[in-house]
Amino acid sequence: SKAYGSGGYLFPQFYDHSCPKAQEIVQTIVAKAFAQDPRMPASLLRLHFHDCFVKGCDASILLDNSGTIISEKRSNPNRNSARGFELIEEIKHALEQECPETVSCADILALAARDSTVITGGPSWDVPLGRRDARGASLSGSNNDIPAPNNTFQTILTKFKRQGLNLVDLVSLSGSHTIGNSRCTSFRQRLYNQSGNGKPDLTLNQYYASMLRKQCPRSGGDQNLFFLDFATPFKFDNHYFKNLITYKGLLSSDEVLFTKNKDSRELVKLYAENQEAFFEQFAKSMVKMGNISPLTGARGEIRRICRRVNHVY
Ligand code: HEM
Ligand SMILES: [Ca+2]
Ligand SMILES: [Ca+2]
């Protein structure tokens, strides 16, 4: 029967009968959160990414430490950085009231990522559904498999390929940095000592760099926040790519898309010129990312509370 997913693939109508209001409930709570905190959509979009890159889209990122679980929340990419967990829990609570033990936390993350994109002005897409939730987490996977902002272009591409994603997915999905924030600590190296020679990254606009140095000193201020896209930080648009072309990408991992590889550079130019092309590809690549190793059928479980597994064996 369809109730357990059909042979391991996802489809957008998965909850049409079991929880017809599921998508509406997620959307309403995301909209309410955005009204209170304009950064929240960015944080939700990133949670889905950090989930999918570690053991697949199985809500492993949401699990807290417990007797059996070493939480991914403590990993380098997530510590002092990943946020939105309380909101996911709020959505889960509302869905448990509406249809108990039916909608997975992994699907909530996928839906919230789509709704976050739409509410900030980006493209929409049908979200394939039917993921189930993991009974475990992987701290080492989170540390190793999620790209770091100082990784080389090649390392980042390799980490995407490991997930079945390609260069086009890498460039379009990086366009997520059209919204949201980064801490000083994630790009400081570029401002002062990019290659260990005491010089700033010369692929960073030097006027922009001098502005950034004021709030991101050589030492201290690690948690100070900066817009990833200074031009339109709360709008999902193609300004991120326009920034890269003018050497105003905030992270090294952003700017290398324009400076280190010919094919990637061409895509950056295309998306900077043509927002529609970016939107269309972004939607496709999000569906692809959302398909990374889902748990379906009888595998995994539908958690009642997203931050912990149902039973501790
Ligand atoms: C290509 C490799 C990527 C690297 C190296 C990277 C790295 C980062 C870093 C360092 C931050 C700032 C974290 C902090 O300082 O607190 C960040 C923020 C963010 N990332 Fe990425 N990222 C990448 C790809 C992606 C992808 C594929 C998505 C989504 C599909 C994404 C979505 C976001 C969003 C929305 C934020 C802002 C979050 C917020 O404001 O709470 N990133 N990323
Ligand atoms: Ca995961
Ligand atoms: Ca923007």
Side-chain angles (χ1 to χ4, degrees):
S1 136
K2 270 191 171 177
Y4 293 103
S6 311
Y9 64 84
L10 310 174
F11 55 98
Q13 301 80 13
F14 189 80
Y15 297 113
D16 279 7
H17 297 289
S18 58
C19 195
K21 286 199 185 142
Q23 301 212 24
E24 183 188 321
I25 288 169
V26 175
Q27 200 277 334
T28 302
I29 297 176
V30 169
K32 193 191 74 181
F34 175 53
Q36 290 167 1
D37 172 6
R39 183 186 173 191
M40 188 53 77
S43 305
L44 297 174
L45 180 53
R46 187 168 185 237
L47 281 185
H48 183 45
F49 163 50
H50 283 200
D51 179 28
C52 292
F53 266 55
V54 182
K55 300 194 315 120
C57 311
D58 61 357
S60 59
I61 190 175
L62 301 178
L63 292 171
D64 280 342
N65 269 332
S66 71
T68 55
I69 283 147
I70 305 171
S71 178
E72 293 170 17
K73 295 178 185 180
R74 295 196 294 179
S75 73
N76 296 319
N78 292 337
R79 187 166 20 96
N80 297 325
S81 180
R83 60 196 289 280
F85 297 105
E86 298 79 9
L87 194 82
I88 296 296
E89 216 59 82
E90 186 185 336
I91 295 171
K92 180 60 181 176
H93 181 75
L95 288 169
E96 285 299 299
Q97 303 294 314
E98 176 72 18
C99 22
E101 292 170 60
T102 303
V103 183
S104 68
C105 299
D107 279 346
I108 294 173
L109 287 172
L111 287 168
R114 188 271 314 271
D115 294 342
S116 294
T117 304
V118 173
I119 204 163
T120 49
S124 189
W125 61 91
D126 289 337
V127 181
L129 298 165
R131 299 167 189 82
R132 292 165 64 83
D133 300 324
R135 291 197 179 94
S138 176
L139 177 65
S140 61
S142 187
N143 278 322
N144 298 327
D145 299 344
I146 297 171
N150 62 345
N151 282 163
T152 64
F153 175 86
Q154 198 48 56
T155 298
I156 295 168
L157 182 59
T158 300
K159 288 181 177 178
F160 268 67
K161 287 193 168 161
R162 214 179 276 160
Q163 308 287 345
L165 302 176
N166 60 29
L167 179 111
V168 178
D169 301 314
L170 165 61
V171 178
S172 68
L173 291 175
S174 293
S176 297
H177 291 173
T178 184
I179 55 173
N181 293 359
S182 168
R183 293 162 306 149
C184 158
T185 184
S186 298
F187 61 87
R188 172 185 282 126
Q189 193 181 321
R190 299 189 73 198
L191 303 179
Y192 301 102
N193 193 17
Q194 177 68 354
S195 322
N197 60 1
K199 292 212 169 64
D201 185 344
L202 295 173
T203 69
L204 180 61
N205 175 290
Q206 292 305 298
Y207 175 73
Y208 185 47
S210 70
M211 302 277 292
L212 294 170
R213 275 183 216 109
K214 289 178 188 163
Q215 302 295 324
C216 186
R218 261 176 212 283
S219 68
D222 287 18
Q223 312 296 322
N224 291 357
L225 291 178
F226 297 77
F227 295 133
L228 285 160
D229 168 10
F230 72 93
T232 56
F234 301 110
K235 182 131 188 66
F236 196 105
D237 56 13
N238 67 339
H239 246 292
Y240 167 79
F241 297 104
K242 297 183 184 198
N243 295 339
L244 300 188
I245 287 179
T246 53
Y247 301 99
K248 288 172 186 159
L250 185 65
L251 309 177
S252 174
S253 53
D254 295 322
E255 201 58 58
V256 294
L257 300 177
F258 186 65
T259 58
K260 299 292 182 198
N261 178 277
K262 199 165 131 299
D263 297 332
S264 169
R265 183 187 183 91
E266 287 310 310
L267 284 167
V268 168
K269 287 201 265 185
L270 170 68
Y271 298 153
E273 288 293 311
N274 186 341
Q275 179 165 277
E276 270 313 301
F278 163 47
F279 278 13
E280 198 178 308
Q281 184 56 51
F282 184 81
K284 283 185 192 159
S285 293
M286 282 296 288
V287 170
K288 205 167 153 186
M289 185 177 85
N291 263 307
I292 300 172
S293 321
L295 296 170
T296 56
R299 299 165 70 213
E301 63 183 16
I302 306 297
R303 279 182 220 146
R304 288 187 284 269
I305 296 175
C306 290
R307 66 180 178 277
R308 62 175 200 234
V309 296
N310 288 342
H311 298 286
V312 181
Y313 297 102

